Amino acid sequence: MRQWAILVGAIVLEVAATVSLRASIDNPWWAVLTVAGYAGAFVALSALLRMGAPIGVVYGIWAAAGVALTAVLGTVLFAEPFTLLVGIGIGIVVAGVVLVETGHGHVTEGKVRS
């Protein structure tokens, strides 16, 4: 359960950083939050890896959630278009993460089990 909380934190930090990066176009001070968010996200990801979480699964979930949430927030906050193709692309990314997760197997006592 703790690993999921850290992963959610990493996702929130990365999305906040990416949205702040877009906001820094209009106000350069947002760049401070951009740097802090990305740094925090990578610290959280490295903590997950030290805890033994599989990198393919962690990175896949982190990246897919980041892409999806950033696209939605870009639409809400910056009036960027959310087209059918964007929605299909997000669906494909999510499906890819599901395939990586299910195809990865589970680690039990240091051995990978499918």
Side-chain angles (χ1 to χ4, degrees):
M1 185 60 143
R2 181 172 177 204
Q3 287 183 349
W4 282 107
I6 294 171
L7 181 56
V8 168
I11 293 166
V12 168
L13 287 166
E14 189 264 337
V15 170
T18 304
V19 170
S20 298
L21 182 62
R22 169 59 176 82
S24 70
I25 293 170
D26 299 324
N27 184 344
W29 286 102
W30 283 100
V32 174
L33 184 57
T34 300
V35 172
Y38 283 132
F42 284 112
V43 167
L45 289 174
S46 66
L48 283 168
L49 296 177
R50 280 192 307 275
M51 296 169 83
I55 191 168
V57 174
V58 167
Y59 183 75
I61 293 170
W62 177 73
V67 166
L69 290 172
T70 300
V72 170
L73 288 175
T75 299
V76 171
L77 299 175
F78 304 113
E80 294 178 352
F82 193 95
T83 65
L84 177 61
L85 285 178
V86 171
I88 291 170
I90 289 171
I92 290 170
V93 169
V94 170
V97 170
V98 169
L99 290 173
V100 169
E101 169 66 22
T102 56
H104 190 273
H106 299 286
V107 176
T108 306
E109 298 179 25
K111 297 180 182 178
V112 176
R113 177 181 68 138
S114 357

